[in-house]
């Protein structure tokens, strides 16, 4: 199973979490408020499904380690 963790930078985490609150749970880094952009966004879920993917989600809140 993939290991997904928060960004180590607490300032980034606080900033993104505040943006999520202000945007009703939608990624603050995206303009459109569509289901695909609700945190955890569809793009990152798809990336996590790839066992070879390692990296941050679009807004840098989460990091997925390679399996």
């Amino acid at each position: 199973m993939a290991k997904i963790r928060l960004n180590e930078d607490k300032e980034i985490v606080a900033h993104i979490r505040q943006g999520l609150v202000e945007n009703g749970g939608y990624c603050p880094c995206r303009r459109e408020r569509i289901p695909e952009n609700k945190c955890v966004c569809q793009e990152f879920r798809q990336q996590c499904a790839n066992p070879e993917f390692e990296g941050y989600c679009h807004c840098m809140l989460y990091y997925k380690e390679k399996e």
Side-chain angles (χ1 to χ4, degrees):
M1 179 173 223
K3 181 177 179 185
I4 299 171
R5 59 177 169 77
L6 286 174
N7 189 324
E8 309 83 24
D9 188 323
K10 296 191 185 319
E11 285 185 44
I12 289 175
V13 171
H15 181 74
I16 297 301
R17 283 187 167 168
Q18 181 61 37
L20 287 167
V21 169
E22 292 171 4
N23 289 312
Y26 292 93
C27 180
C29 303
R30 302 198 185 258
R31 292 178 182 252
E32 295 180 292
R33 288 191 179 190
I34 57 175
E36 293 86 354
N37 293 341
K38 192 92 168 181
C39 191
V40 173
C41 70
Q42 181 179 8
E43 178 185 18
F44 191 58
R45 289 191 309 266
Q46 290 172 341
Q47 289 172 324
C48 288
N50 176 357
E52 296 300 312
F53 173 77
E54 181 169 1
Y56 287 100
C57 66
H58 181 80
C59 67
M60 307 237 348
L61 179 61
Y62 295 108
Y63 185 85
K64 184 225 175 205
E65 295 179 3
K66 202 171 189 182
E67 294 180 26

